[in-house]
Amino acid sequence: VMPEVKDVPVVPADSQVDQGRNLFIAKGCMVCHSHADTNAVREFGVDMGLNLTDLTFGAEYLRLWLKDPSSVKPATLMPNLELSAEEIEALIAFINDK
């Protein structure tokens, strides 16, 4: 006789957009980039980069840019953050979520 299986509540995992927002904060993106969804937790910033609130970019462009910014624009000031493919996809989801 099989034991009775009780209903276990499923706790939804963070969405990819939520993961991207968390990475945007944790990886320091908001130091150089303003974004309406993270400005409330932004203690300081230099706004060297674009305000990403209302911008969207092609996913393939962002994959290349986030993987190695200087390979796309050699004179860029944006550092290579050594992001994983999963982190890049989450950041793309966050940046392009309008």
Side-chain angles (χ1 to χ4, degrees):
V1 174
M2 295 283 293
E4 182 180 340
V5 177
K6 296 182 180 181
D7 288 334
V8 177
V10 175
V11 179
D14 286 341
S15 72
Q16 194 173 38
V17 171
D18 290 338
Q19 291 171 4
R21 182 181 304 106
N22 292 340
L23 283 166
F24 193 83
I25 295 165
K27 295 289 186 175
C29 305
M30 65 182 193
V31 172
C32 295
H33 295 281
S34 180
H35 194 293
D37 287 350
T38 61
N39 285 345
V41 296
R42 187 180 191 212
E43 294 180 23
F44 65 91
V46 293
D47 291 335
M48 293 174 64
L50 297 171
N51 179 335
L52 297 174
T53 301
D54 296 319
L55 300 178
T56 57
F57 301 89
E60 190 56 34
Y61 171 79
L62 280 178
R63 278 185 200 99
L64 294 171
W65 179 257
L66 293 171
K67 182 175 175 64
D68 183 8
S70 65
S71 73
V72 177
K73 183 179 176 187
T76 188
L77 296 176
M78 182 165 159
N80 184 334
L81 299 174
E82 305 294 330
L83 299 166
S84 71
E86 182 179 288
E87 290 171 327
I88 289 171
E89 293 305 313
L91 283 165
I92 291 169
F94 172 65
I95 292 167
N96 284 340
D97 181 52
K98 304 297 177 239

